[in-house]
Amino acid sequence: MTLYNEKMIPILDDLENPEIELAGGSTVGMLLSVTNSLIKYICNKTLGKKKYENVQEEVLKIKEEANNLKKYALSIIDEDRVVLDEILKTYRLKKEEPKLYEEACQNGVDFCLEVTKKAVCTLKLVDRLEKVGNRMLASDFEICRNYAMASIEASIVNVEVNMKSVNNEEYV
C-alpha cells in the first residue's frame, strides 16, 4: 500500500526549494485543484444514490464544472511560476527599466484577478452542491468552502501586493 504522505514529499520539497520558485500563487493553484477534486468526490458519493436520484443531472453538471475548474487550477501552478519569474527578472532592472517592472506587476495583477474569479466560481460551486449533495459529507462541504475562501483571500493578497508597484492611475 502506497502512503499518500510519501507521494506528497516531492511536491513539498519543490515548494521549499528557492531555485524552483513555486510560491504563493502556485499554492493557490494546488489548493484550488484539491478543492475541486473534493467537490468531485462529493459528487461521486451522491451520484447513483436512491435518496438523490432527483438531483442527478445537477450533480453531473457540478462535477463537470469542478473538473474544468480543477484543470484550470492545475494550470495556475505553472503559470504563476512564469508570472513570478517575470516580476523577479524585471525587479532586478527596476531602476534602469521601471516600465518593464510595472508592466510585469500589472500582468501579475491581471493573472491574480483571473485566479480570484475562478476561486469565486469554485465557492459558488460548493454552494450549489451543498443544496443537492450527499448530506453525510457535511464536513467536506465546509472544507471546500474554507479552501475556496482561502484561495480567494490569497489571490487578493497577491493582487494588492502587485498593485503597489503599478503607477498607471487609469489601470489602478
Side-chain angles (χ1 to χ4, degrees):
M1 181 171 126
T2 303
L3 297 175
Y4 285 97
N5 64 350
E6 290 176 9
K7 291 179 179 184
M8 288 294 298
I9 289 171
I11 295 168
L12 297 174
D13 287 346
D14 284 353
L15 182 59
E16 297 165 14
N17 185 338
E19 300 298 315
I20 294 179
E21 301 293 356
L22 281 175
S26 293
T27 59
V28 170
M30 292 177 198
L31 186 57
L32 272 178
S33 61
V34 166
T35 306
N36 282 288
S37 286
L38 187 54
I39 290 170
K40 288 178 64 179
Y41 168 79
I42 296 168
C43 290
N44 289 334
K45 288 294 211 174
T46 305
L47 292 168
K49 303 280 189 224
K50 191 169 186 78
K51 183 176 180 180
Y52 300 100
E53 64 188 0
N54 62 330
V55 295
Q56 298 295 290
E57 191 174 310
E58 174 66 3
V59 174
L60 283 170
K61 286 179 190 174
I62 292 169
K63 183 178 175 182
E64 183 178 337
E65 289 175 47
N67 192 57
N68 291 335
L69 286 165
K70 176 184 168 184
K71 287 178 186 175
Y72 175 81
L74 287 169
S75 75
I76 292 169
I77 298 166
D78 291 326
E79 182 66 25
D80 183 71
R81 291 180 66 203
V82 172
V83 171
L84 177 61
D85 186 53
E86 190 61 30
I87 290 172
L88 293 175
K89 278 184 195 173
T90 58
Y91 179 79
R92 293 181 194 109
L93 305 170
K94 175 166 118 164
K95 290 181 181 173
E96 299 86 33
E97 301 278 351
K99 285 285 184 205
L100 284 179
Y101 177 64
E102 183 175 350
E103 199 173 285
C105 289
Q106 190 169 319
N107 289 338
V109 168
D110 293 341
F111 172 72
C112 293
L113 283 172
E114 188 59 32
V115 171
T116 304
K117 289 176 188 175
K118 296 299 184 182
V120 169
C121 289
T122 298
L123 182 62
K124 289 179 179 179
L125 213 51
V126 174
D127 289 340
R128 284 174 48 206
L129 183 57
E130 193 168 36
K131 293 173 184 160
V132 296
N134 189 327
R135 300 307 320 150
M136 293 297 296
L137 304 169
S139 64
D140 293 319
F141 290 114
E142 288 306 311
I143 290 167
C144 288
R145 176 176 276 87
N146 289 330
Y147 285 176
M149 286 301 299
S151 298
I152 292 166
E153 291 169 6
S155 296
I156 290 170
V157 166
N158 281 336
V159 167
E160 291 171 343
V161 167
N162 287 320
M163 283 296 283
K164 291 177 183 175
S165 298
V166 176
N167 297 316
N168 179 340
E169 288 181 30
E170 185 176 315
Y171 178 82
V172 173

